[in-house]
Amino acid sequence: MNFDFTEKEQNLFKELQDIMTGLAGEAKLEEKDPGRSEILVRKALNRLAKTAYLKLGTIKDEDAGGLCAMMGAMETVSSYSQSLFLSIEMSARLFGRIISAFGTGEQMKRWLSPVLSGAAVGAVALSEKAMNIDNEPMTAAGVRENGFVRINAEKSYVINGPVADFTAVVGIMDNKPAIFIVEKGAGGLIPGKRLDMVGFDGAAVSGLTLDNCLISEDSVIGPFDDKSVLTTLKLWENQILIGSSLGMMKSSFESARIYAKTHKTGGKPAIAYQEVGFKLAEMLTLFQTSQLFAYRAAWAAEAKNRETEILTYCAKVFCTEAAEKISGWALQILSGAGYISGNPAEIAFRCSKYNQIAGTSTEISRVKIGDAALGA
Amino acid sequence: MGLTEPNAGSDVASMTTTAEKKDDKYILNGNKMFITNGPIADVAVVYAKTRPELQHAGISAFIVEKGTKGFSAGPPLIKMGVRTSHTSELIFQNCEIPAENLLGNEGDGFLMAMQTVEWDRSALLAPFVGSATYLLKKCAQYAKGRVQFGRPIAQFQAIKHKLADIRIFGEAARSLVYRIAWCKDQGRPLNHLEAAIAKLYVGDWSMAPTFDAVLVHGGYGYCHEYDVERIFRDSRLAPIGGGTSDIQKMIISKLI
């Protein structure tokens, strides 16, 4: 057990800080304008590709670092911009991991290399109607047809949906789970209108319709003999949401801490008042506990520990709920300054609810943790 | 460990127990309060002021053995929980001890006390990790056997959620406790922040899972016969012993 990051990992975090600081100096990171936000995502992917960041967890590269480093790096990037982080992660980490873990050599050359080099944006279309696939069978389906596969699907909440160069559409083929890789411009691929959301202003999210969309058979990953592939996808998505929550906590806490030390009231810094200082203490306690939880779940995944799935659900519930608490408390400390749009705490507060809903929702996670305790 | 006094808890510097040096002896006078193992201890480390005018810098530590003249323990205190652990007052009335019983040097006591309290905090927390593990097991057993509305209550989502929250607390607490242990292994002296954060989290959050466990057991959880009731009472010590949660918040807020 080790609770410290190595010097190499620390150096990576510093590199990421420099890149994100540079981007923040050039553009508004929570960019709502679709055109500008797409340019920003591509620019960020391009710059991050020069570091080990996009490789973490995606490809086996001992030089890149392990899953704990991935979690620490995610925290660093997401603390700068929630939207940019989500867009980057869904491209490199989720789409990239699918191709890396399940794709053939040819598929990796075709789709993984461009995504990891920052030349292309990926997306994963998983949800349908409801935000989860645990209670409902998937309706997205592919049917073989003379060397092609015809796909019909209605997907919801696809991050990068309107801008992705490649989309991994999760569905059913031959009554088994399968993943269809659909390239931008494919006939029958119809991205929906970009959604306006409570948070993640800069992320391009939409529904996705595949209406008799034809792809070649070699664009299909699977079909898989069991449903564990869906569990794996959820695990990876949950890891991203955990990393996102850590970043929210970091930016909210730092914003409130700096304000409390510099804003004077009654002739002394706000932090000198126990009501403020104690709140910050509670925030730091939840933040550090979340970090430990996140790293432990990442370590379990790396060690292929049999408790990985449950520990990740535990970490997901804890971190996503702590992010809402901490950003809410930060807003309280920041008072009027925090309520103004653009403050890190305000952004994190609005984004935090998504992380509790997306991936495996906190409610479903609790049911699964409970089932595990019952030996079900 | 005799540190706390009736009127000096976390504010260690305000202790009033004194140790006056006379020739090759120290003479201790004062009272210590809430001393774990007080009624049964064969030996105690007692903190007293050798130079009261120096406040915390004037605190020294002494070893006092059972049976020393002028040293006595009060009757065991009747507590809400943790009843197997005996707690009492320690009383020093012109208690003479050899000068060689001074631990370290005069004035070292405050630092020793802080290091010890840090251990105290860490050691106090591990049982709450253990109790969370135990509660989860007991609740799961009970929920599988208890049938209501024609099915085991384990099948209700509300029960599963309570089990999940117990597990989540236990895992969070475990990570914090292991981190302190790791810091100690690394030889990092005085890990105030890590210890205070662990103590604050476990202290403030350890009651919720015991409350959930009582609820899972319903009326039986309210009865002495089921030990979730005992663990519920025991958990109330977490935000008090080894420095209250408010004291941990003071420490953390100063460090940030």
Side-chain angles (χ1 to χ4, degrees), chain A residues 1-4 253 257 261 271 274 276-282 284-286 288-289 291-293 296 307 310-311 313-315 317-318 321 325 329 362-375, chain B residues 136 139-141 143-144 154-155 157 159-161 163-165 167-176 178-180 182-183 186 188 193-194 196-198 200-201 204-205 245-250 252-253 256:
Chain A
M1 193 173 287
N2 187 354
F3 287 85
D4 266 347
F253 173 74
R257 185 183 70 89
K261 289 175 85 168
I271 196 171
Q274 287 192 336
V276 174
F278 281 22
K279 210 168 250 127
L280 283 165
E282 287 181 71
L284 185 64
T285 297
L286 274 188
Q288 290 203 355
T289 309
Q291 285 177 314
L292 291 174
F293 227 142
R296 179 136 171 261
E307 292 266 80
I310 295 303
L311 281 173
Y313 289 134
C314 288
V317 171
F318 192 91
E321 291 184 347
K325 283 193 191 93
W329 286 334
T362 46
E363 285 75 16
I364 299 292
S365 294
R366 280 191 166 93
V367 168
K368 287 176 183 287
I369 299 163
D371 281 341
L374 292 162
Chain B
L136 188 62
C139 287
Q141 274 174 1
K144 283 196 275 190
Q155 289 180 11
Q157 285 193 339
I159 299 296
K160 290 181 186 179
H161 278 203
L163 298 183
D165 285 338
R167 172 84 193 258
I168 290 167
F169 164 77
E171 296 299 344
R174 190 192 311 276
S175 299
L176 288 161
Y178 285 1
R179 182 171 70 157
I180 306 175
W182 179 83
C183 286
Q186 299 297 301
R188 297 183 184 183
L193 186 66
E194 289 88 349
I197 279 177
L200 178 58
Y201 177 76
D204 274 7
W205 293 67
S245 291
D246 281 343
I247 294 297
Q248 307 316 313
K249 289 176 194 172
M250 276 174 68
I252 298 165
S253 63
I256 58 181

Side-chain angles (χ1 to χ4, degrees), chain B residues 93-230:
Chain B
Q93 289 177 314
N94 292 317
C95 171
E96 285 187 13
I97 56 167
E100 66 194 31
N101 283 20
L102 171 70
L103 202 55
N105 300 309
E106 278 195 15
D108 285 353
F110 184 76
L111 194 62
M112 283 183 198
M114 290 303 101
Q115 285 175 333
T116 311
V117 163
E118 196 183 285
W119 270 115
D120 184 23
R121 276 173 202 153
S122 316
L124 191 72
L125 303 182
F128 294 99
V129 178
S131 71
T133 308
Y134 180 74
L135 284 175
L136 188 62
K137 190 175 146 196
K138 296 300 278 187
C139 287
Q141 274 174 1
Y142 181 83
K144 283 196 275 190
R146 171 78 171 169
V147 175
Q148 290 288 283
F149 304 106
R151 54 180 170 160
I153 62 170
Q155 289 180 11
F156 292 100
Q157 285 193 339
I159 299 296
K160 290 181 186 179
H161 278 203
K162 287 181 179 61
L163 298 183
D165 285 338
I166 295 170
R167 172 84 193 258
I168 290 167
F169 164 77
E171 296 299 344
R174 190 192 311 276
S175 299
L176 288 161
V177 171
Y178 285 1
R179 182 171 70 157
I180 306 175
W182 179 83
C183 286
K184 287 285 180 195
D185 272 349
Q186 299 297 301
R188 297 183 184 183
L190 289 176
N191 309 291
H192 284 324
L193 186 66
E194 289 88 349
I197 279 177
K199 176 68 173 66
L200 178 58
Y201 177 76
V202 176
D204 274 7
W205 293 67
S206 66
M207 288 179 289
T210 65
F211 183 75
D212 279 343
V214 169
L215 283 178
V216 168
H217 284 76
Y220 295 110
Y222 198 64
C223 299
H224 286 306
E225 186 187 342
Y226 284 74
D227 48 13
V228 292
E229 177 269 348
R230 171 182 59 77

Side-chain angles (χ1 to χ4, degrees), chain A residues 256-257 259-278 280 333:
Chain A
R257 185 183 70 89
Y259 182 83
K261 289 175 85 168
T262 53
H263 177 74
K264 286 196 173 174
T265 176
K268 53 184 178 178
I271 196 171
Y273 294 92
Q274 287 192 336
E275 196 58 47
V276 174
F278 281 22
L280 283 165
I333 289 172

